[in-house]
């Protein structure tokens, strides 16, 4: 049977495990059991943090690419015309877009601010966003060598605060449409104060949709790369590294990573495997630690 878990439940489990450890420190076998439970719980938390960070920053990529066909490819993320395959009711755009030419009359560099307001804006995908995504483009992102650097101002997704820097560079060749994306000093903070910090580099290469360059909805990309992070739950924290086992698959007509596997490893601790699925567009993934698998829900 698959079990669903949240960071809140993990935190409670960690507190219980810590209490058991202190109460039974005179019994080596009991202490060893409690410590093992704590290690597994932290491995679970690290893997969930990796998966959650991947989804939230991939959403940033979709939105900065989707603004329009001048700075990106247009029609992706919150700029997609139809999201009938997504949870939640379809809603009109509840955010504003401000475009500022930084060296006018030259078209670039240009700063684009997506302002979701301070009260909460329910997107077409059912996510609730507030605050600002601020991106400076050196040139059109469809042009090799162009860079988009993004920062955040009071930005939240479903109550999770998003901080750090996001960078996209077009590294395409004459035969392959490719982007390098980086999360630099990324930080996600939940309402209960639990945090995870993250740095990662990904190479995103187009695998389908070449024949319709003006239609983003049929584009499919393969994602490979590694990263590292730190998760903090209460007074406990742990570090991890992530390695790509099978390329992650993203489609611009879906807000979730639909396929692929990522391994998450804590120092001298059990390895966790995140399986993003078999291609279905949903917010589910399977997390396996020590041979035990359970379903997790992504934000």
């Amino acid at each position: 049977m698959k079990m669903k878990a949240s960071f809140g439940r993990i935190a409670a489990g960690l507190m219980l495990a810590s209490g058991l450890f202190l109460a039974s420190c005179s019994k080596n076998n009991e202490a060893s059991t409690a410590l093992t439970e704590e290690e597994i719980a932290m491995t679970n938390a690290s893997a969930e943090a990796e998966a959650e960070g991947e989804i939230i920053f991939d959403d940033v990529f979709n939105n900065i690419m989707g603004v329009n066909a001048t700075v990106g490819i247009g029609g992706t993320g919150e700029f997609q015309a139809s999201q009938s395959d997504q949870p939640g009711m379809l809603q009109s755009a509840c955010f504003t877009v401000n475009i500022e030419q930084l060296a006018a009359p030259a078209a670039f560099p240009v700063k684009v601010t997506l302002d979701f307001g301070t009260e909460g804006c329910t997107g077409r995908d059912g996510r609730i966003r507030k605050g600002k995504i601020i991106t400076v483009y050196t040139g059109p992102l469809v042009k090799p060598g162009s860079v988009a650097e993004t920062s955040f101002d009071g930005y939240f997704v479903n109550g999770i605060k998003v901080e750090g820097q996001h960078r996209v560079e077009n590294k395409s060749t004459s035969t392959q449409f490719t982007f390098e994306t980086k999360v630099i000093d990324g930080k996600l903070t939940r309402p209960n104060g639990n945090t995870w910090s993250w740095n990662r580099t990904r190479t995103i290469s187009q695998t389908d949709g070449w024949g319709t360059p003006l239609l983003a909805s049929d584009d499919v990309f393969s994602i490979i790369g590694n990263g590292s992070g730190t998760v903090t739950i209460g007074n406990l924290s742990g570090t991890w590294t992530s390695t790509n086992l099978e390329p992650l698959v993203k489609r611009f007509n879906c807000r979730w990573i639909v396929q692929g596997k990522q391994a998450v490893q804590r120092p001298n601790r059990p390895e966790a495997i995140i399986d993003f699925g078999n291609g279905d567009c949903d917010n589910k993934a399977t997390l396996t630690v020590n041979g035990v698998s359970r379903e997790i829900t992504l934000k």
Side-chain angles (χ1 to χ4, degrees), residues 139-150:
L141 274 181
V142 295
K143 180 180 178 181
S146 292
V147 173
E149 295 187 326
T150 299

Side-chain angles (χ1 to χ4, degrees), residues 54 221-223 244 246-249 257 259-262 276:
E54 187 68 55
F221 291 83
S222 173
I223 306 173
N244 188 241
E246 295 179 4
L248 307 184
V249 178
I257 301 296
Q259 197 169 345
K261 293 182 181 180
Q262 201 79 6
F276 285 93

Side-chain angles (χ1 to χ4, degrees), residues 142-245:
V142 295
K143 180 180 178 181
S146 292
V147 173
E149 295 187 326
T150 299
S151 59
F152 308 95
D153 181 3
Y155 183 58
F156 291 77
V157 179
N158 289 341
I160 299 173
K161 186 175 183 179
V162 182
E163 299 175 272
Q165 304 291 319
H166 184 274
R167 186 180 191 274
V168 180
E169 181 176 356
N170 186 321
K171 290 196 171 183
S172 300
T173 66
S174 60
T175 59
Q176 182 68 65
F177 198 37
T178 301
F179 299 95
E180 180 187 75
T181 70
K182 291 185 178 182
V183 175
I184 305 165
D185 295 330
K187 182 179 180 182
L188 305 180
T189 304
R190 282 188 169 270
N192 61 9
N194 294 338
T195 66
W196 54 104
S197 302
W198 201 39
N199 287 277
R200 69 105 165 104
T201 299
R202 296 279 192 264
T203 298
I204 304 177
S205 301
Q206 188 169 4
T207 58
D208 201 0
W210 279 95
T212 52
L214 299 180
L215 181 65
S217 61
D218 66 350
D219 290 353
V220 181
F221 291 83
S222 173
I223 306 173
I224 59 173
N226 303 319
S228 62
T230 301
V231 62
T232 301
I233 300 176
N235 61 351
L236 298 172
S237 65
T239 61
W240 82 87
T241 57
S242 64
T243 305
N244 188 241
L245 297 180

Side-chain angles (χ1 to χ4, degrees), residues 249 251 257-260 275-282 284:
V249 178
R251 306 195 309 256
I257 301 296
V258 299
Q259 197 169 345
D275 186 342
F276 285 93
N278 59 5
D280 293 338
C281 181
D282 58 36
K284 307 297 182 183

Side-chain angles (χ1 to χ4, degrees), residues 10 12 18 38 55 79 115 200 216 232 250 274 291:
I10 292 173
S18 299
E38 182 177 294
I55 294 299
F79 299 91
D115 189 348
R200 69 105 165 104
T232 301
K250 73 176 271 85
I274 307 165

